[in-house]
Structure formats: C-alpha cells, structure tokens
Amino acid sequence: MGGSYERPLAQGGGHNGDLPFEQWRYKFIDGVGQNIIIEFVDKNMNGQYRMTMDPSEKDALLNVPNAAAVKH
C-alpha cells in the first residue's frame, strides 16, 4: 500500500517512505530455485504493478526528481 516502511538489512536497512508494492513468495520455480520472492511496484500509484529486480524502485524519494539533491 505504500507509506512508511522498515527496510530489511539485506536492502540496506533504515526507515523510508515507499510506493505501493507487493511481494509474492513462490515455494519453487522450475529452473530458478526454492523460496523465491518476486517484488512488484506501482511507481505511478495507478494500480498497475510492475515486476522489479531492484528493491530501491519502491523508495518514494528516489523516484521524485531532485528529492535526493537537497544540500544542507
């Protein structure tokens, strides 16, 4: 659903705001392996989820132009 999210250590840890996303877990995918997690992100917040290989795609601030460019 998006919102505030505690990122797993495997993804760098930390707390951030996220776009809507879903994680699907498969017990087995032939030719891939066991316990496979596939992530889908709704980058446009329009209900159209797309599979992603990059966990940072759900990070809302990384997807806003110039949001990370703020200097102190």
Short mmCIF file of all heavy atoms in Angstrom, two decimals:
data_model
loop_
_atom_site.label_atom_id
_atom_site.label_comp_id
_atom_site.label_asym_id
_atom_site.label_seq_id
_atom_site.Cartn_x
_atom_site.Cartn_y
_atom_site.Cartn_z
N MET A 1 0.81 -1.19 0.00
CA MET A 1 0.00 0.00 0.00
C MET A 1 0.85 1.25 0.00
O MET A 1 0.37 2.33 -0.25
CB MET A 1 -0.92 -0.03 1.21
CG MET A 1 -2.21 0.68 0.96
SD MET A 1 -3.44 0.23 2.16
CE MET A 1 -3.33 1.59 3.25
N GLY A 2 2.12 1.13 0.28
CA GLY A 2 2.98 2.30 0.33
C GLY A 2 2.98 2.90 1.72
O GLY A 2 2.37 2.40 2.63
N GLY A 3 3.68 4.00 1.87
CA GLY A 3 3.76 4.65 3.17
C GLY A 3 5.08 4.37 3.84
O GLY A 3 6.09 4.10 3.20
N SER A 4 5.07 4.41 5.14
CA SER A 4 6.28 4.24 5.93
C SER A 4 6.65 2.76 5.99
O SER A 4 5.79 1.90 6.17
CB SER A 4 6.03 4.78 7.33
OG SER A 4 7.21 4.82 8.05
N TYR A 5 7.95 2.46 5.90
CA TYR A 5 8.38 1.07 5.77
C TYR A 5 9.76 0.91 6.37
O TYR A 5 10.65 1.73 6.16
CB TYR A 5 8.38 0.71 4.29
CG TYR A 5 8.94 -0.65 3.95
CD1 TYR A 5 8.24 -1.81 4.25
CD2 TYR A 5 10.15 -0.77 3.30
CE1 TYR A 5 8.74 -3.05 3.91
CE2 TYR A 5 10.66 -2.00 2.96
CZ TYR A 5 9.94 -3.15 3.27
OH TYR A 5 10.45 -4.37 2.94
N GLU A 6 9.96 -0.16 7.15
CA GLU A 6 11.27 -0.51 7.69
C GLU A 6 11.94 -1.46 6.72
O GLU A 6 11.49 -2.60 6.54
CB GLU A 6 11.11 -1.16 9.07
CG GLU A 6 12.41 -1.30 9.82
CD GLU A 6 13.00 0.03 10.27
OE1 GLU A 6 12.24 0.97 10.56
OE2 GLU A 6 14.24 0.12 10.30
N ARG A 7 13.00 -1.00 6.05
CA ARG A 7 13.66 -1.78 5.03
C ARG A 7 14.50 -2.90 5.65
O ARG A 7 15.20 -2.67 6.63
CB ARG A 7 14.57 -0.86 4.22
CG ARG A 7 14.97 -1.42 2.90
CD ARG A 7 15.75 -0.46 2.07
NE ARG A 7 15.43 0.92 2.35
CZ ARG A 7 16.10 1.95 1.88
NH1 ARG A 7 17.12 1.76 1.10
NH2 ARG A 7 15.76 3.17 2.17
N PRO A 8 14.46 -4.13 5.09
CA PRO A 8 15.29 -5.24 5.61
C PRO A 8 16.78 -4.92 5.50
O PRO A 8 17.20 -4.15 4.63
CB PRO A 8 14.94 -6.41 4.70
CG PRO A 8 13.69 -6.05 4.00
CD PRO A 8 13.65 -4.54 3.96
N LEU A 9 17.58 -5.50 6.39
CA LEU A 9 19.03 -5.28 6.36
C LEU A 9 19.63 -5.66 5.02
O LEU A 9 20.57 -5.02 4.55
CB LEU A 9 19.71 -6.06 7.48
CG LEU A 9 19.46 -5.52 8.90
CD1 LEU A 9 20.13 -6.42 9.93
CD2 LEU A 9 19.96 -4.10 9.02
N ALA A 10 19.09 -6.69 4.37
CA ALA A 10 19.61 -7.11 3.07
C ALA A 10 19.44 -6.03 2.01
O ALA A 10 20.12 -6.04 0.99
CB ALA A 10 18.89 -8.39 2.61
N GLN A 11 18.54 -5.06 2.27
CA GLN A 11 18.33 -3.95 1.33
C GLN A 11 18.91 -2.65 1.88
O GLN A 11 18.57 -1.57 1.45
CB GLN A 11 16.84 -3.78 1.05
CG GLN A 11 16.22 -4.94 0.34
CD GLN A 11 14.73 -4.75 0.12
OE1 GLN A 11 14.17 -3.68 0.32
NE2 GLN A 11 14.07 -5.81 -0.31
N GLY A 12 19.80 -2.75 2.87
CA GLY A 12 20.46 -1.57 3.42
C GLY A 12 19.88 -1.09 4.73
O GLY A 12 20.42 -0.19 5.36
N GLY A 13 18.75 -1.65 5.16
CA GLY A 13 18.14 -1.25 6.43
C GLY A 13 17.59 0.17 6.38
O GLY A 13 17.56 0.81 5.33
N GLY A 14 17.16 0.65 7.51
CA GLY A 14 16.66 2.02 7.60
C GLY A 14 15.17 2.12 7.40
O GLY A 14 14.48 1.17 7.10
N HIS A 15 14.69 3.33 7.61
CA HIS A 15 13.27 3.63 7.56
C HIS A 15 13.04 4.60 6.41
O HIS A 15 13.77 5.58 6.28
CB HIS A 15 12.87 4.26 8.90
CG HIS A 15 11.42 4.42 9.08
ND1 HIS A 15 10.60 3.38 9.43
CD2 HIS A 15 10.63 5.49 8.95
CE1 HIS A 15 9.38 3.83 9.54
NE2 HIS A 15 9.36 5.11 9.24
N ASN A 16 12.07 4.35 5.58
CA ASN A 16 11.81 5.27 4.47
C ASN A 16 10.35 5.22 4.07
O ASN A 16 9.58 4.40 4.55
CB ASN A 16 12.70 4.94 3.27
CG ASN A 16 12.37 3.62 2.63
OD1 ASN A 16 11.81 2.75 3.25
ND2 ASN A 16 12.72 3.48 1.38
N GLY A 17 9.97 6.12 3.18
CA GLY A 17 8.63 6.14 2.63
C GLY A 17 8.63 5.38 1.31
O GLY A 17 9.55 5.53 0.52
N ASP A 18 7.64 4.58 1.12
CA ASP A 18 7.64 3.72 -0.06
C ASP A 18 6.39 3.90 -0.91
O ASP A 18 5.33 4.25 -0.42
CB ASP A 18 7.72 2.25 0.34
CG ASP A 18 9.10 1.85 0.78
OD1 ASP A 18 10.07 2.47 0.32
OD2 ASP A 18 9.21 0.93 1.58
N LEU A 19 6.58 3.59 -2.18
CA LEU A 19 5.47 3.50 -3.12
C LEU A 19 4.74 2.19 -2.83
O LEU A 19 5.29 1.29 -2.20
CB LEU A 19 6.01 3.48 -4.55
CG LEU A 19 6.74 4.76 -4.99
CD1 LEU A 19 7.46 4.52 -6.30
CD2 LEU A 19 5.75 5.90 -5.11
N PRO A 20 3.50 2.04 -3.31
CA PRO A 20 2.81 0.77 -3.12
C PRO A 20 3.59 -0.37 -3.77
O PRO A 20 4.09 -0.24 -4.88
CB PRO A 20 1.47 0.99 -3.83
CG PRO A 20 1.29 2.47 -3.86
CD PRO A 20 2.67 3.03 -3.98
N PHE A 21 3.71 -1.49 -3.04
CA PHE A 21 4.41 -2.65 -3.59
C PHE A 21 3.83 -3.92 -2.99
O PHE A 21 3.17 -3.89 -1.96
CB PHE A 21 5.92 -2.57 -3.33
CG PHE A 21 6.32 -2.79 -1.91
CD1 PHE A 21 6.74 -4.04 -1.49
CD2 PHE A 21 6.30 -1.75 -0.99
CE1 PHE A 21 7.12 -4.25 -0.16
CE2 PHE A 21 6.68 -1.94 0.32
CZ PHE A 21 7.08 -3.20 0.74
N GLU A 22 4.08 -5.03 -3.68
CA GLU A 22 3.68 -6.35 -3.22
C GLU A 22 4.87 -7.28 -3.37
O GLU A 22 5.66 -7.14 -4.30
CB GLU A 22 2.52 -6.91 -4.05
CG GLU A 22 1.23 -6.17 -3.90
CD GLU A 22 0.10 -6.82 -4.67
OE1 GLU A 22 0.33 -7.85 -5.35
OE2 GLU A 22 -1.01 -6.29 -4.61
N GLN A 23 4.97 -8.23 -2.46
CA GLN A 23 5.97 -9.28 -2.57
C GLN A 23 5.25 -10.61 -2.68
O GLN A 23 4.41 -10.92 -1.84
CB GLN A 23 6.89 -9.29 -1.35
CG GLN A 23 7.80 -8.10 -1.28
CD GLN A 23 8.71 -8.16 -0.06
OE1 GLN A 23 8.38 -8.75 0.95
NE2 GLN A 23 9.86 -7.53 -0.18
N TRP A 24 5.56 -11.36 -3.72
CA TRP A 24 4.97 -12.69 -3.91
C TRP A 24 6.06 -13.72 -3.64
O TRP A 24 7.16 -13.62 -4.16
CB TRP A 24 4.47 -12.85 -5.33
CG TRP A 24 3.30 -11.99 -5.70
CD1 TRP A 24 2.79 -10.93 -5.02
CD2 TRP A 24 2.49 -12.12 -6.87
NE1 TRP A 24 1.72 -10.39 -5.68
CE2 TRP A 24 1.51 -11.11 -6.83
CE3 TRP A 24 2.50 -12.99 -7.94
CZ2 TRP A 24 0.56 -10.95 -7.81
CZ3 TRP A 24 1.55 -12.82 -8.93
CH2 TRP A 24 0.58 -11.82 -8.85
N ARG A 25 5.73 -14.69 -2.80
CA ARG A 25 6.69 -15.75 -2.47
C ARG A 25 6.25 -17.05 -3.15
O ARG A 25 5.10 -17.46 -3.04
CB ARG A 25 6.76 -15.96 -0.96
CG ARG A 25 7.74 -17.05 -0.55
CD ARG A 25 7.76 -17.26 0.96
NE ARG A 25 7.98 -16.04 1.68
CZ ARG A 25 9.17 -15.62 2.11
NH1 ARG A 25 10.24 -16.35 1.88
NH2 ARG A 25 9.29 -14.50 2.76
N TYR A 26 7.19 -17.66 -3.85
CA TYR A 26 6.94 -18.92 -4.52
C TYR A 26 7.77 -20.00 -3.84
O TYR A 26 8.98 -19.80 -3.62
CB TYR A 26 7.32 -18.84 -6.00
CG TYR A 26 6.43 -17.91 -6.79
CD1 TYR A 26 6.69 -16.56 -6.85
CD2 TYR A 26 5.33 -18.41 -7.47
CE1 TYR A 26 5.87 -15.70 -7.57
CE2 TYR A 26 4.49 -17.56 -8.19
CZ TYR A 26 4.78 -16.21 -8.24
OH TYR A 26 3.97 -15.37 -8.95
N LYS A 27 7.15 -21.12 -3.52
CA LYS A 27 7.89 -22.23 -2.90
C LYS A 27 8.93 -22.79 -3.84
O LYS A 27 10.02 -23.15 -3.41
CB LYS A 27 6.93 -23.34 -2.47
CG LYS A 27 6.05 -22.97 -1.31
CD LYS A 27 5.17 -24.14 -0.92
CE LYS A 27 4.25 -23.76 0.22
NZ LYS A 27 3.39 -24.88 0.61
N PHE A 28 8.60 -22.85 -5.14
CA PHE A 28 9.54 -23.40 -6.10
C PHE A 28 9.20 -22.90 -7.50
O PHE A 28 8.04 -22.88 -7.90
CB PHE A 28 9.46 -24.94 -6.11
CG PHE A 28 10.37 -25.59 -7.10
CD1 PHE A 28 11.72 -25.72 -6.85
CD2 PHE A 28 9.87 -26.06 -8.31
CE1 PHE A 28 12.56 -26.31 -7.77
CE2 PHE A 28 10.70 -26.65 -9.24
CZ PHE A 28 12.06 -26.77 -8.97
N ILE A 29 10.22 -22.47 -8.23
CA ILE A 29 10.08 -22.10 -9.64
C ILE A 29 11.11 -22.94 -10.39
O ILE A 29 12.32 -22.82 -10.14
CB ILE A 29 10.32 -20.60 -9.89
CG1 ILE A 29 9.27 -19.76 -9.14
CG2 ILE A 29 10.27 -20.29 -11.39
CD1 ILE A 29 9.47 -18.26 -9.27
N ASP A 30 10.63 -23.77 -11.30
CA ASP A 30 11.48 -24.66 -12.06
C ASP A 30 12.57 -23.87 -12.79
O ASP A 30 12.29 -22.89 -13.47
CB ASP A 30 10.64 -25.46 -13.06
CG ASP A 30 11.40 -26.61 -13.69
OD1 ASP A 30 12.32 -27.14 -13.03
OD2 ASP A 30 11.07 -26.98 -14.83
N GLY A 31 13.80 -24.25 -12.61
CA GLY A 31 14.92 -23.59 -13.26
C GLY A 31 15.44 -22.38 -12.51
O GLY A 31 16.45 -21.78 -12.88
N VAL A 32 14.73 -21.97 -11.44
CA VAL A 32 15.14 -20.80 -10.65
C VAL A 32 15.55 -21.23 -9.25
O VAL A 32 16.63 -20.90 -8.78
CB VAL A 32 14.02 -19.73 -10.59
CG1 VAL A 32 14.45 -18.55 -9.73
CG2 VAL A 32 13.65 -19.28 -11.98
N GLY A 33 14.67 -21.94 -8.55
CA GLY A 33 15.02 -22.40 -7.21
C GLY A 33 13.83 -22.42 -6.27
O GLY A 33 12.68 -22.37 -6.70
N GLN A 34 14.15 -22.46 -4.97
CA GLN A 34 13.14 -22.53 -3.92
C GLN A 34 13.05 -21.21 -3.16
O GLN A 34 14.01 -20.46 -3.10
CB GLN A 34 13.48 -23.65 -2.95
CG GLN A 34 13.50 -25.02 -3.58
CD GLN A 34 13.88 -26.10 -2.59
OE1 GLN A 34 14.05 -25.85 -1.41
NE2 GLN A 34 14.00 -27.33 -3.06
N ASN A 35 11.88 -20.98 -2.55
CA ASN A 35 11.62 -19.79 -1.74
C ASN A 35 12.02 -18.51 -2.47
O ASN A 35 12.82 -17.72 -1.98
CB ASN A 35 12.33 -19.90 -0.39
CG ASN A 35 11.76 -21.03 0.44
OD1 ASN A 35 10.55 -21.22 0.48
ND2 ASN A 35 12.61 -21.78 1.09
N ILE A 36 11.43 -18.30 -3.62
CA ILE A 36 11.72 -17.15 -4.45
C ILE A 36 10.74 -16.03 -4.12
O ILE A 36 9.53 -16.25 -4.07
CB ILE A 36 11.59 -17.50 -5.95
CG1 ILE A 36 12.47 -18.70 -6.30
CG2 ILE A 36 11.90 -16.30 -6.83
CD1 ILE A 36 13.94 -18.49 -6.05
N ILE A 37 11.25 -14.83 -3.88
CA ILE A 37 10.40 -13.66 -3.63
C ILE A 37 10.51 -12.74 -4.85
O ILE A 37 11.60 -12.35 -5.25
CB ILE A 37 10.84 -12.90 -2.37
CG1 ILE A 37 10.67 -13.80 -1.14
CG2 ILE A 37 10.01 -11.63 -2.22
CD1 ILE A 37 11.20 -13.20 0.13
N ILE A 38 9.36 -12.43 -5.41
CA ILE A 38 9.30 -11.51 -6.55
C ILE A 38 8.54 -10.27 -6.09
O ILE A 38 7.48 -10.36 -5.49
CB ILE A 38 8.61 -12.16 -7.77
CG1 ILE A 38 9.42 -13.38 -8.20
CG2 ILE A 38 8.48 -11.15 -8.91
CD1 ILE A 38 8.83 -14.15 -9.36
N GLU A 39 9.11 -9.11 -6.37
CA GLU A 39 8.53 -7.85 -5.92
C GLU A 39 7.91 -7.10 -7.09
O GLU A 39 8.47 -7.05 -8.18
CB GLU A 39 9.62 -7.00 -5.26
CG GLU A 39 9.09 -5.91 -4.40
CD GLU A 39 10.14 -5.41 -3.44
OE1 GLU A 39 11.05 -4.68 -3.88
OE2 GLU A 39 10.07 -5.76 -2.25
N PHE A 40 6.75 -6.51 -6.83
CA PHE A 40 6.03 -5.71 -7.81
C PHE A 40 5.80 -4.33 -7.23
O PHE A 40 5.39 -4.20 -6.07
CB PHE A 40 4.68 -6.37 -8.14
CG PHE A 40 4.81 -7.74 -8.72
CD1 PHE A 40 4.93 -8.86 -7.91
CD2 PHE A 40 4.81 -7.93 -10.10
CE1 PHE A 40 5.05 -10.13 -8.44
CE2 PHE A 40 4.93 -9.20 -10.65
CZ PHE A 40 5.05 -10.30 -9.81
N VAL A 41 6.06 -3.27 -8.01
CA VAL A 41 5.95 -1.89 -7.54
C VAL A 41 5.00 -1.11 -8.44
O VAL A 41 5.03 -1.24 -9.66
CB VAL A 41 7.34 -1.20 -7.53
CG1 VAL A 41 7.23 0.24 -7.07
CG2 VAL A 41 8.31 -1.96 -6.65
N ASP A 42 4.16 -0.29 -7.80
CA ASP A 42 3.24 0.60 -8.51
C ASP A 42 3.86 2.00 -8.50
O ASP A 42 3.53 2.85 -7.67
CB ASP A 42 1.87 0.60 -7.82
CG ASP A 42 0.86 1.51 -8.48
OD1 ASP A 42 1.17 2.09 -9.53
OD2 ASP A 42 -0.25 1.63 -7.93
N LYS A 43 4.81 2.25 -9.41
CA LYS A 43 5.56 3.51 -9.42
C LYS A 43 4.70 4.73 -9.73
O LYS A 43 5.01 5.83 -9.31
CB LYS A 43 6.71 3.43 -10.44
CG LYS A 43 7.81 2.50 -9.97
CD LYS A 43 8.87 2.26 -11.03
CE LYS A 43 9.60 3.50 -11.42
NZ LYS A 43 10.75 3.23 -12.29
N ASN A 44 3.60 4.55 -10.46
CA ASN A 44 2.74 5.67 -10.82
C ASN A 44 1.52 5.80 -9.92
O ASN A 44 0.69 6.68 -10.13
CB ASN A 44 2.29 5.53 -12.29
CG ASN A 44 3.46 5.57 -13.23
OD1 ASN A 44 4.37 6.39 -13.07
ND2 ASN A 44 3.48 4.69 -14.20
N MET A 45 1.41 4.90 -8.94
CA MET A 45 0.30 4.89 -7.99
C MET A 45 -1.05 4.89 -8.71
O MET A 45 -1.97 5.62 -8.36
CB MET A 45 0.42 6.06 -7.01
CG MET A 45 1.69 5.96 -6.19
SD MET A 45 1.87 7.21 -4.95
CE MET A 45 0.64 6.68 -3.77
N ASN A 46 -1.14 4.04 -9.75
CA ASN A 46 -2.37 3.95 -10.52
C ASN A 46 -2.93 2.53 -10.54
O ASN A 46 -3.81 2.23 -11.34
CB ASN A 46 -2.14 4.44 -11.95
CG ASN A 46 -1.11 3.62 -12.70
OD1 ASN A 46 -0.60 2.64 -12.18
ND2 ASN A 46 -0.80 4.02 -13.91
N GLY A 47 -2.41 1.66 -9.68
CA GLY A 47 -2.91 0.29 -9.60
C GLY A 47 -2.24 -0.67 -10.57
O GLY A 47 -2.58 -1.85 -10.60
N GLN A 48 -1.27 -0.19 -11.35
CA GLN A 48 -0.57 -1.05 -12.30
C GLN A 48 0.81 -1.40 -11.74
O GLN A 48 1.74 -0.61 -11.82
CB GLN A 48 -0.44 -0.37 -13.66
CG GLN A 48 -1.78 -0.16 -14.32
CD GLN A 48 -1.63 0.43 -15.71
OE1 GLN A 48 -0.54 0.56 -16.25
NE2 GLN A 48 -2.75 0.80 -16.30
N TYR A 49 0.89 -2.59 -11.17
CA TYR A 49 2.14 -3.05 -10.56
C TYR A 49 3.02 -3.70 -11.63
O TYR A 49 2.55 -4.41 -12.48
CB TYR A 49 1.83 -4.08 -9.46
CG TYR A 49 1.21 -3.45 -8.24
CD1 TYR A 49 -0.12 -3.07 -8.23
CD2 TYR A 49 1.97 -3.24 -7.11
CE1 TYR A 49 -0.69 -2.50 -7.11
CE2 TYR A 49 1.41 -2.67 -5.98
CZ TYR A 49 0.08 -2.30 -5.98
OH TYR A 49 -0.48 -1.73 -4.88
N ARG A 50 4.32 -3.43 -11.54
CA ARG A 50 5.29 -3.99 -12.47
C ARG A 50 6.36 -4.74 -11.66
O ARG A 50 6.81 -4.26 -10.63
CB ARG A 50 5.98 -2.90 -13.29
CG ARG A 50 5.04 -1.98 -14.02
CD ARG A 50 4.71 -2.54 -15.36
NE ARG A 50 3.91 -1.56 -16.09
CZ ARG A 50 2.84 -1.88 -16.79
NH1 ARG A 50 2.46 -3.11 -16.88
NH2 ARG A 50 2.16 -0.96 -17.41
N MET A 51 6.75 -5.90 -12.18
CA MET A 51 7.79 -6.67 -11.53
C MET A 51 9.10 -5.89 -11.58
O MET A 51 9.41 -5.23 -12.57
CB MET A 51 7.97 -8.02 -12.23
CG MET A 51 8.95 -8.92 -11.53
SD MET A 51 9.06 -10.55 -12.26
CE MET A 51 9.85 -10.18 -13.80
N THR A 52 9.87 -5.96 -10.50
CA THR A 52 11.15 -5.28 -10.45
C THR A 52 12.22 -6.19 -9.88
O THR A 52 11.94 -7.06 -9.06
CB THR A 52 11.07 -3.99 -9.61
OG1 THR A 52 12.35 -3.36 -9.62
CG2 THR A 52 10.68 -4.27 -8.18
N MET A 53 13.44 -5.97 -10.32
CA MET A 53 14.59 -6.69 -9.78
C MET A 53 15.35 -5.79 -8.81
O MET A 53 16.23 -6.24 -8.10
CB MET A 53 15.53 -7.12 -10.91
CG MET A 53 14.90 -8.08 -11.90
SD MET A 53 14.52 -9.67 -11.19
CE MET A 53 16.14 -10.36 -11.05
N ASP A 54 15.01 -4.50 -8.78
CA ASP A 54 15.71 -3.51 -7.96
C ASP A 54 14.85 -3.10 -6.78
O ASP A 54 13.87 -2.38 -6.96
CB ASP A 54 16.05 -2.29 -8.83
CG ASP A 54 16.82 -1.23 -8.08
OD1 ASP A 54 17.13 -1.42 -6.88
OD2 ASP A 54 17.12 -0.20 -8.69
N PRO A 55 15.20 -3.52 -5.55
CA PRO A 55 14.39 -3.18 -4.38
C PRO A 55 14.25 -1.68 -4.15
O PRO A 55 13.29 -1.23 -3.55
CB PRO A 55 15.14 -3.83 -3.22
CG PRO A 55 16.01 -4.85 -3.83
CD PRO A 55 16.33 -4.36 -5.21
N SER A 56 15.19 -0.87 -4.65
CA SER A 56 15.11 0.58 -4.42
C SER A 56 14.01 1.25 -5.27
O SER A 56 13.68 2.40 -5.04
CB SER A 56 16.46 1.24 -4.71
OG SER A 56 16.75 1.21 -6.09
N GLU A 57 13.42 0.53 -6.22
CA GLU A 57 12.35 1.12 -7.04
C GLU A 57 11.12 1.47 -6.23
O GLU A 57 10.32 2.28 -6.64
CB GLU A 57 11.96 0.19 -8.19
CG GLU A 57 12.95 0.22 -9.32
CD GLU A 57 12.41 -0.44 -10.58
OE1 GLU A 57 11.22 -0.28 -10.88
OE2 GLU A 57 13.20 -1.12 -11.24
N LYS A 58 10.97 0.87 -5.04
CA LYS A 58 9.82 1.19 -4.22
C LYS A 58 10.08 2.38 -3.30
O LYS A 58 9.18 2.86 -2.62
CB LYS A 58 9.36 -0.02 -3.42
CG LYS A 58 10.30 -0.47 -2.34
CD LYS A 58 9.71 -1.66 -1.59
CE LYS A 58 10.68 -2.21 -0.59
NZ LYS A 58 11.58 -3.18 -1.16
N ASP A 59 11.32 2.88 -3.28
CA ASP A 59 11.67 4.03 -2.44
C ASP A 59 11.09 5.30 -3.06
O ASP A 59 11.53 5.75 -4.12
CB ASP A 59 13.19 4.14 -2.30
CG ASP A 59 13.62 5.17 -1.28
OD1 ASP A 59 12.87 6.15 -1.05
OD2 ASP A 59 14.70 5.01 -0.70
N ALA A 60 10.11 5.88 -2.42
CA ALA A 60 9.39 7.03 -2.97
C ALA A 60 10.32 8.21 -3.26
O ALA A 60 10.20 8.85 -4.29
CB ALA A 60 8.27 7.45 -2.02
N LEU A 61 11.26 8.50 -2.37
CA LEU A 61 12.14 9.66 -2.58
C LEU A 61 13.10 9.47 -3.74
O LEU A 61 13.47 10.43 -4.39
CB LEU A 61 12.92 9.98 -1.30
CG LEU A 61 12.07 10.53 -0.16
CD1 LEU A 61 12.94 10.78 1.06
CD2 LEU A 61 11.34 11.80 -0.57
N LEU A 62 13.49 8.24 -4.02
CA LEU A 62 14.38 8.00 -5.16
C LEU A 62 13.66 8.19 -6.48
O LEU A 62 14.29 8.35 -7.51
CB LEU A 62 14.96 6.59 -5.09
CG LEU A 62 15.98 6.34 -3.99
CD1 LEU A 62 16.44 4.89 -4.02
CD2 LEU A 62 17.16 7.28 -4.11
N ASN A 63 12.33 8.19 -6.46
CA ASN A 63 11.54 8.31 -7.68
C ASN A 63 10.95 9.69 -7.88
O ASN A 63 10.16 9.91 -8.79
CB ASN A 63 10.43 7.25 -7.68
CG ASN A 63 11.01 5.85 -7.82
OD1 ASN A 63 11.47 5.49 -8.89
ND2 ASN A 63 11.04 5.11 -6.75
N VAL A 64 11.33 10.65 -7.02
CA VAL A 64 10.89 12.04 -7.16
C VAL A 64 12.08 12.84 -7.66
O VAL A 64 13.12 12.86 -7.01
CB VAL A 64 10.39 12.61 -5.81
CG1 VAL A 64 10.04 14.07 -5.95
CG2 VAL A 64 9.21 11.81 -5.31
N PRO A 65 11.97 13.50 -8.82
CA PRO A 65 13.09 14.27 -9.35
C PRO A 65 13.61 15.29 -8.34
O PRO A 65 12.85 16.02 -7.72
CB PRO A 65 12.50 14.97 -10.58
CG PRO A 65 11.32 14.14 -10.97
CD PRO A 65 10.79 13.57 -9.69
N ASN A 66 14.93 15.31 -8.15
CA ASN A 66 15.64 16.25 -7.28
C ASN A 66 15.35 16.09 -5.79
O ASN A 66 15.78 16.92 -5.00
CB ASN A 66 15.38 17.71 -7.71
CG ASN A 66 15.82 17.97 -9.12
OD1 ASN A 66 16.88 17.50 -9.54
ND2 ASN A 66 15.01 18.69 -9.85
N ALA A 67 14.63 15.07 -5.38
CA ALA A 67 14.32 14.88 -3.96
C ALA A 67 15.57 14.57 -3.16
O ALA A 67 15.69 15.00 -2.02
CB ALA A 67 13.30 13.77 -3.77
N ALA A 68 16.52 13.85 -3.72
CA ALA A 68 17.74 13.49 -3.01
C ALA A 68 18.83 14.56 -3.18
O ALA A 68 19.88 14.45 -2.58
CB ALA A 68 18.25 12.14 -3.49
N ALA A 69 18.57 15.58 -3.95
CA ALA A 69 19.59 16.58 -4.26
C ALA A 69 19.62 17.73 -3.26
O ALA A 69 20.30 18.71 -3.46
CB ALA A 69 19.38 17.13 -5.66
N VAL A 70 18.87 17.64 -2.16
CA VAL A 70 18.81 18.72 -1.17
C VAL A 70 20.15 18.80 -0.46
O VAL A 70 20.68 17.80 0.04
CB VAL A 70 17.67 18.48 -0.16
CG1 VAL A 70 17.68 19.54 0.91
CG2 VAL A 70 16.35 18.42 -0.89
N LYS A 71 20.73 20.00 -0.39
CA LYS A 71 22.01 20.21 0.28
C LYS A 71 21.78 21.02 1.54
O LYS A 71 20.96 21.92 1.58
CB LYS A 71 23.00 20.92 -0.64
CG LYS A 71 23.37 20.09 -1.84
CD LYS A 71 24.38 20.80 -2.69
CE LYS A 71 24.73 19.94 -3.90
NZ LYS A 71 25.70 20.57 -4.75
N HIS A 72 22.55 20.71 2.57
CA HIS A 72 22.42 21.43 3.85
C HIS A 72 23.53 22.42 4.00
O HIS A 72 24.61 22.31 3.61
CB HIS A 72 22.43 20.46 5.01
CG HIS A 72 21.30 19.49 4.96
ND1 HIS A 72 20.01 19.84 5.24
CD2 HIS A 72 21.27 18.17 4.63
CE1 HIS A 72 19.23 18.77 5.11
NE2 HIS A 72 19.98 17.75 4.74
#
